[in-house]
Every structure is written in structure tokens, then in C-alpha cells.
């Protein structure tokens, strides 16, 4: 899925990059750069989640090999080669999924002209580079997931607790967001097309990346508060599970955080464009075409983010069951009903989900304050759009919990594998 989405978005971005620019400001290249920037972090997040799930399934076996005397370099080599081969197979399947899409993309219009088959074609070297990048993301993520096995195999076998979240995460996130707001406020035509494009790309990538730094800390703090107030076993187990690894809890909903971050500027831009187009007597036909192209980019960004959210939710929920399979087997042996386990799973997701839905939306609102203010006053319908996008993300996560119920049943049906 990552490969198919990446190839499709790059094909559209390339078409926007090569679009005619009568005003000479490079606005179409800015749109192309923004489309690619929106793609970078979600693809990296989903690729990392998939690689971690694959590595987690064989983590115990690799740790056992280390205890039997296998060297770190040997274990690392075996695991990374396997991760690379699996990712390469997935990349080739993604290429097959992408192959019927160019004819559909050829009907997309840029600057009032349909792209055609030549406009959405990708050169073979570029396709190879993109697929290789997908494989590299998988290998790097798998290597990061192997650190516990390589450094301390007993740490994996004994399920050592994750480190506590430090308050410096909040300070760093505040500094980065403040800098991003300042950069966007200072950006002007005087910077040139290259300067504005670079500023937009850097701001989007850096702020989306810092969400993964701030999110786990806020999830841990909220879980601590709910743990103190818990009054039943399900809530107690859920909050203890979140506190065991706030980072793992955050990874389950990180796709929603990225989608929520994109939804606010997307909704505000659509509202702003609707207001501008109503004033058709003050805009030129070329500007009307350009605004229509902006709408296409916004819709593509939102669609891509939620498509990756749907994939990420399924992967991370399955990974969560695998990571806590020993806990679920123990609860089953103690007599906890399956329905109570399912409720506990939902509760363990609802806490990080609240943070993922609200905090990124507030940060995005800070970045687009001028456009946001205009949209609130002149096109309040955008608020409904934003709320609807966030609601879709929440529903996707809940469906992910329901959809991975068979994984939990399989774990309980094979309790010996959890030991």
C-alpha cells in the first residue's frame, strides 16, 4: 500500500511541478512540494509500524538465538535481510496495484488542461528509487526494533518496562511549533518561489515529526490521571498497559494525529477558497483555475492521509495484541471474559486517541491562524468538514480494534506461544 500510494502521489506532484506558471511565482511547484511533504511522515510512520510488527513476531526467537550464543552481527544480518526481502515483495505488489492508476490520474486537470498519459508517467529509474526507499524504510525500522534483542536478550524475554517520558519533550515541541508559526508569518513573496517552497516543506515535515515526540508524553500524563480515578479492573488494566509503554500506545493512533493535523488546514483552505470564488469579479480566470488545483491538492492530501490511517490502524492494533499476548493469556486463565478484554482494549486506545484527535488540531490551528480566522467568519461550513475528518479518524481506530479481534482469539487459542 505504501508503494502504491507513494507512486501515485509522486506522479501527481511531478505533474504539478511541471505545470505552466504564467505569473512566474512558482505556485504550482509550491503545491507539488506541499503534496510530497504531506506524504513523507505518514509513509514513514506506516512503514515503521509494519516493520515493527514483522520484527516483533520473531523477536523472541532472535533473543533465544542470542542466549544460545549467536553474535549480534549475525542476528542483525538475518533479521534485516528478512525484513528487506519482505519489504521488497510488498513493494512489487504495490507496483502492481499502481499499474492501473495512471489512466485514471490522466483525467486530472492542472491549470485547466487534463494531464494525459504522458503527464502522469514516471520514468523507470524514478520508480526504482521510490521502491528502494520503501525497502530502506522497512530495513531501518526493523533495525531499530532489534535494539533490545541485540543489546540485552534477557530484556526482551523479561519484558522490561519502557523508560519514562521526560518533560523536555514538551519544551522541544513548544520551541519547534513556535518557530514554525514564526516562519509562516514571515514568509512573503520576497523570499521567492524556492524560499517559500522550502519554508512550507520544512514546516510541514518538522511539525508532523514533532507530534511523535510530544504525543507519548501527553498520553502518559493522561493515563496517569485516569489510573488514579479507575474503579474497575478493565480500566485499571488498560491504563497500566498504556503506562507500560506510552510510545507504543501512541503508535496505535499516530495515523489519526497526522490526519487531524492535516484536516484543520485543509478545511480552512477549502473555506477560504469558497469565499474567494464567491468574489468572482475580483479574481482572474487563471486564478480561478489555480484555486481549483489547490482544492485537488487538498483533497488528495486528506484522502492519502486517511488511507494510510486505515492501514496503520490495522497494523498497529495487530502489533498491540502481539506485544501483550502474554497478558491476555494470563487474564484468560484467571477467568476474565473475552468481552471484558475487548472493552479493556478499547479503553487502552481511547486515551491516546483523545490526545491524537485534539492536540494536533490545535497545533495546526496555530500555524494557519490568518486563514482560519477568515474561514470561521466567512465559511463556517469548514468547521463541519474538520469535525467530520476527525470523526472519521476516530471511527477508523475503533474499527481497527474490532477488526483485529480474530487476532486476539487466535492468541488465546494458542496460549503456549505466549509463554
Amino acid at each position: 500500500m505504501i508503494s502504491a500510494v507513494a507512486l501515485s502521489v509522486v506522479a501527481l506532484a511531478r505533474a504539478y511541478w511541471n505545470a505552466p506558471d504564467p505569473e512566474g511565482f512558482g505556485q504550482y511547484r509550491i503545491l507539488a512540494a506541499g503534496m510530497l511533504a504531506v506524504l513523507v511522515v505518514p509513509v514513514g510512520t506506516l512503514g515503521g509500524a509494519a516493520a515493527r510488527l514483522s520484527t516483533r513476531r520473531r523477536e523472541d526467537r532472535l533473543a533465544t538465538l542470542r542466549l544460545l550464543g549467536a553474535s549480534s552481527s549475525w542476528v542483525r544480518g538475518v533479521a534485516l535481510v528478512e525484513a528487506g526481502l519482505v519489504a521488497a515483495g510488498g513493494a512489487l505488489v504495490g507496483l502492481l496495484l499502481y499499474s492501473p492508476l495512471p489512466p485514471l490520474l490522466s483525467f486530472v486537470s492542472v491549470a485547466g488542461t487534463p494531464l494525459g498519459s504522458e503527464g502522469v508517467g514516471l520514468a523507470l529509474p524514478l520508480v526504482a528509487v521510490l521502491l528502494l526507499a520503501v525497502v530502506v524504510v522497512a530495513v531501518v525500522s526493523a533495525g531499530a526494533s532489534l535494539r533490545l534483542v541485540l543489546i540485552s536478550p534477557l530484556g526482551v524475554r523479561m519484558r522490561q518496562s519502557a523508560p519514562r517520558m521526560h518533560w523536555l519533550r514538551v519544551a522541544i515541541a513548544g520551541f519547534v511549533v513556535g518557530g514554525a508559526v514564526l516562519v509562516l508569518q514571515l514568509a512573503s513573496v520576497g523570499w521567492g518561489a524556492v524560499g517559500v517552497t522550502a519554508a512550507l516543506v520544512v514546516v510541514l515535515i518538522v511539525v508532523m515529526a514533532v507530534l511523535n515526540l510530544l504525543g507519548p508524553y501527553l498520553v502518559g500524563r493522561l493515563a496517569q490521571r485516569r489510573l488514579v480515578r479507575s474503579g474497575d479492573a478493565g480500566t485499571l488494566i488498560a491504563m497500566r498497559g498504556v503506562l507500560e509503554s506510552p510510545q507504543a500506545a501512541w503508535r496505535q493512533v499516530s495515523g489519526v494525529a497526522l490526519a487531524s493535523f492535516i484536516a484543520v488546514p485543509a478545511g480552512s483552505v477549502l473555506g477560504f477558497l469558497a469565499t474567494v470564488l464567491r468574489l468572482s469579479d475580483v479574481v482572474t480566470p487563471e486564478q480561478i483555475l489555480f484555486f481549483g488545483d489547490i482544492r485537488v491538492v487538498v483533497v488528495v492530501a486528506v484522502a492519502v492521509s486517511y488511507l494510510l490511517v486505515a492501514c496503520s490502524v490495522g497494523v498497529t492494533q495487530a502489533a498491540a495484541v502481539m506485544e501483550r499476548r502474554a497478558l491476555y493469556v494470563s487474564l484468560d486463565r484467571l477467568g476474565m471474559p473475552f468481552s471484558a478484554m475487548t472493552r479493556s482494549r478499547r479503553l487502552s486506545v481511547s486515551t491516546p486517541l483523545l490526545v491524537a484527535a485534539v492536540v494536533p488540531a490545535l497545533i495546526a490551528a496555530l500555524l494557519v491562524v490568518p486563514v482560519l480566522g477568515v474561514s470561521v467568519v466567512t465559511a463556517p461550513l469548514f468547521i463541519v468538514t474538520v469535525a467530520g475528518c476527525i470523526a472519521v479518524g476516530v471511527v477508523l481506530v475503533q474499527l481497527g480494534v474490532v477488526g483485529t479481534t480474530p487476532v486476539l482469539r487466535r492468541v488465546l487459542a494458542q496460549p503456549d506461544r505466549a509463554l
Side-chain angles (χ1 to χ4, degrees), residues 20-27 284 286-287 290:
D21 184 16
E23 298 184 6
F25 178 63
Q27 60 264 35
T284 63
E286 292 78 9
Q287 290 174 329
F290 179 63

Side-chain angles (χ1 to χ4, degrees), residues 130-404:
L130 291 173
L131 297 183
L132 180 61
V134 172
V135 176
V136 170
V137 168
V139 171
V140 171
S141 300
S145 299
L146 285 171
R147 285 179 301 176
L148 277 177
V149 179
L150 298 178
I151 296 173
S152 175
L154 285 175
V156 176
R157 301 298 300 181
M158 300 303 293
R159 298 292 188 265
Q160 292 177 348
S161 298
R164 295 175 63 86
M165 299 290 104
H166 201 278
W167 62 267
L168 281 177
R169 289 171 174 262
V170 178
I172 295 173
F175 176 78
V176 170
V177 172
V181 172
L182 181 62
V183 168
L184 291 182
Q185 294 298 321
L186 295 177
S188 64
V189 178
W191 289 19
V194 175
V196 173
T197 301
L200 176 64
V201 171
V202 170
V203 164
L204 285 176
I205 292 178
V206 170
V207 174
M208 284 194 293
V210 85
L211 290 176
N212 290 327
L213 190 68
L214 177 63
Y217 176 85
L218 297 179
V219 167
R221 298 293 295 179
L222 183 58
Q224 285 179 341
R225 294 187 61 182
R226 290 191 170 183
L227 179 63
V228 173
R229 300 176 181 178
S230 62
D232 59 273
T235 304
L236 176 65
I237 293 172
M239 294 304 103
R240 290 289 295 177
V242 172
L243 290 174
E244 177 185 348
S245 179
Q247 288 179 321
W250 172 257
R251 282 198 299 266
Q252 297 182 61
V253 296
S254 58
V256 174
L258 295 173
S260 179
F261 176 79
I262 293 172
V264 172
S268 59
V269 167
L270 291 175
F272 178 77
L273 292 178
T275 302
V276 172
L277 291 177
R278 283 200 298 267
L279 305 174
S280 57
D281 55 335
V282 297
V283 294
T284 63
E286 292 78 9
Q287 290 174 329
I288 292 177
L289 290 176
F290 179 63
F291 291 153
D293 293 332
I294 293 178
R295 274 203 300 262
V296 172
V297 172
V298 170
V299 171
V300 168
V302 173
V304 166
S305 64
Y306 278 98
L307 177 61
L308 295 180
V309 164
C311 298
S312 179
V313 165
V315 170
T316 53
Q317 289 296 323
V321 174
M322 299 294 293
E323 289 174 354
R324 295 186 172 90
R325 56 190 178 187
L327 170 64
Y328 292 125
V329 169
S330 299
L331 294 175
D332 181 58
R333 290 175 174 175
L334 289 172
M336 175 175 278
F338 186 83
S339 59
M341 294 186 203
T342 303
R343 177 177 176 274
S344 178
R345 289 183 62 207
R346 287 199 298 265
L347 289 173
S348 66
V349 169
S350 64
T351 297
L353 185 59
L354 177 63
V355 176
V358 175
V359 174
L362 294 177
I363 293 176
L366 289 176
L367 297 178
V368 293
V369 167
V371 179
L372 185 64
V374 173
S375 298
V376 169
V377 175
T378 61
L381 184 61
F382 98 93
I383 298 177
V384 178
T385 302
V386 173
C389 289
I390 295 176
V392 169
V394 172
V395 171
L396 285 174
V397 172
Q398 298 298 337
L399 290 178
V401 176
V402 175
T404 53

